[in-house]
Amino acid sequence: MVSPMSSLETDDAAFIRSLPKAELHMHIEGSLEPELLFAIAERNGISLPYADVEALRAAYSFADLQSFLDLYYQGADVLRTEDDFADLMAAYLERAHADGVRRVEMFFDPQTHTERGVGFDVFMPGFLRAMNEAANRTGISTALILCFLRHLSPESAWETFDQAEQGGYLDSIIGVGLDSGEVGNPPEQFADVFDRAAEAGLHRVAHAGEEGPPSYIWGALDALDVERIDHGVRAEEDPELIARLLIDKVPLTMCPLSNLALCVVDDLADHNLGRLLDQGLMVTINSDDPAYFGGYVGTNYEQTAEALELSRDELVQLARNSIRASFASDEEKDRWLAEIAELDELAENG
Ligand code: HPA
Ligand code: ZN
């Protein structure tokens, strides 16, 4: 039987876009494109140390995670009003929808905002309004993960959790995460606040093994009881850890273009994502900070597929992994997995 899909979707980019997928590792503040950053700065009367959008984009060249974080926190400083956060969210969800994303679980960094006097009652209503509007318009399923900044103290993380709780926002998030500068900030210090989040019924994830050693991945699993590892590139250095990740089916939310931009790998062709996938790990592809690292999730799939010569079966596997690794309901997961199965069958018969 000639299927409409097989004749329609011939090239890899179109195939990738047509694959229902989940994005599980994306910092909403990292989706702030220079154009929107300038527009928001202007309406808030903020002057920027860059002449124009091109000059800002030209500054996006990083030696490591910290050199990126310095610019990323500076960029987030233009976000001051509820509308700023709503516009940021709306722009990202539009792009994600265009890439075939059915489900997004987005990180946000409250401390980046509360530290400069912008509170939960400003950013949460902005995020939630844009999430509702996007869901109504496109059907995209969305969720928020509150990240603690690990370069700040555990006390600051507690204070942030308390602010979320007192503001009545725990029902608006599905989990907590841990991000920012990794080396020198091991996960164990945040065990208590992660325990509290678990008690409150929240999911737990953490960045680990991006720049930090395998021991930080062990720490995230054992001390924070995380359900996914964000990045996990350096897991490969420790065979026992690989065995643990396999046995417990711990998803890795990998971000190939981020790793290239932050010099975690020198060349996309050297990325271990393909090897880890071959070994049976629950690997997923994500964009991390798409405005800064040269691509949204679809581009991450495309460039990784090209560099690592991934087959269509492997692309389908990556999309399936992303759905399975998500915290969506079983009903939603079954629906998207059925859509993938249908597409896969059409591709095979075509
Ligand atoms: N790593 C750690 N913290 C972050 C990142 C990242 O890639 N992006 C935004 N915050
Ligand atoms: Zn990240």
Side-chain angles (χ1 to χ4, degrees):
M1 194 184 83
V2 178
S3 68
M5 198 49 89
S6 61
S7 53
L8 243 175
E9 311 282 0
T10 48
D11 67 306
D12 280 345
F15 177 73
I16 286 166
R17 262 200 312 280
S18 72
L19 270 175
K21 59 183 83 62
E23 172 144 67
L24 307 176
H25 185 159
M26 199 287 303
H27 304 260
I28 192 64
E29 293 90 350
S31 72
L32 179 55
E33 291 286 349
E35 288 78 6
L36 185 58
L37 193 157
F38 263 82
I40 291 177
E42 188 170 14
R43 75 190 186 202
N44 288 341
I46 299 165
S47 66
L48 296 168
Y50 300 94
D52 51 30
V53 164
E54 286 69 37
L56 176 57
R57 218 182 271 286
Y60 290 178
S61 170
F62 312 110
D64 53 20
L65 175 58
Q66 192 57 51
S67 62
F68 154 70
L69 289 171
D70 293 343
L71 257 182
Y72 162 87
Y73 295 128
Q74 186 187 89
D77 180 47
V78 303
L79 302 166
R80 306 276 170 96
T81 69
E82 181 181 319
D83 281 349
D84 298 342
F85 291 94
D87 290 352
L88 174 69
M89 178 63 76
Y92 165 69
L93 292 176
E94 189 64 37
R95 278 298 281 105
H97 174 63
D99 277 358
V101 173
R102 300 291 194 276
R103 165 79 175 176
V104 286
E105 297 177 1
M106 298 166 286
F107 298 137
F108 69 111
D109 288 340
Q111 288 149 298
T112 300
H113 312 304
T114 53
E115 286 223 317
R116 46 192 188 85
V118 175
F120 273 81
D121 287 340
V122 177
F123 52 80
M124 290 303 283
F127 287 153
L128 296 170
R129 165 156 53 94
M131 287 160 66
N132 276 327
E133 282 172 5
N136 289 336
R137 209 171 55 73
T138 68
I140 196 165
S141 168
T142 66
L144 289 170
I145 296 176
L146 183 162
C147 276
F148 303 115
L149 299 181
R150 70 201 303 158
H151 72 272
L152 299 178
S153 66
E155 290 72 29
S156 175
W158 270 111
E159 199 181 322
T160 304
F161 189 87
D162 289 343
Q163 286 165 353
E165 188 166 35
Q166 281 154 19
Y169 293 114
L170 290 191
D171 289 344
S172 302
I173 63 176
I174 55 157
V176 296
L178 189 65
D179 65 0
S180 193
E182 187 181 7
V183 174
N185 298 309
E188 286 81 358
Q189 327 168 52
F190 298 93
D192 290 348
V193 71
F194 268 64
D195 276 353
R196 172 74 191 90
E199 271 170 34
L202 294 167
H203 290 288
R204 285 121 8 244
V205 300
H207 283 58
E210 177 184 18
E211 288 186 343
S215 63
Y216 285 25
I217 303 178
W218 285 109
L221 294 169
D222 291 337
L224 305 186
D225 196 24
V226 298
E227 296 153 87
R228 301 194 296 240
I229 294 290
D230 299 315
H231 291 296
V233 184
R234 292 191 59 191
E236 205 179 24
E237 296 167 25
D238 181 343
E240 270 181 53
L241 176 57
I242 292 290
R244 165 83 181 267
L245 296 170
L246 266 172
I247 290 166
D248 289 349
K249 298 189 174 59
V250 181
L252 302 183
T253 64
M254 303 195 98
C255 307
L257 288 182
S258 163
N259 297 150
L260 184 64
L262 301 187
C263 308
V264 170
V265 294
D266 294 332
D267 191 325
L268 217 46
D270 297 335
H271 203 286
N272 61 12
L273 181 146
R275 284 197 298 277
L276 297 176
L277 187 67
D278 279 350
Q279 289 178 57
L281 270 89
M282 181 74 133
V283 173
T284 66
I285 290 187
N286 308 271
S287 69
D288 209 2
D289 299 282
Y292 291 89
F293 300 149
Y296 287 77
V297 68
T299 307
N300 271 269
Y301 272 75
E302 278 168 41
Q303 295 196 10
T304 308
E306 195 179 346
L308 302 181
E309 299 179 7
L310 298 179
S311 66
R312 288 215 173 178
D313 281 350
E314 287 170 314
L315 290 169
V316 167
Q317 185 62 45
L318 286 160
R320 278 200 179 108
N321 286 354
S322 74
I323 302 290
R324 291 194 175 121
S326 78
F327 300 133
S329 67
D330 286 345
E331 185 272 329
E332 284 182 308
K333 289 188 191 188
D334 287 348
R335 175 152 43 90
W336 300 319
L337 289 169
E339 276 185 65
I340 295 177
E342 200 176 318
L343 196 72
D344 195 25
E345 213 168 288
L346 291 174
E348 267 169 28
N349 294 338

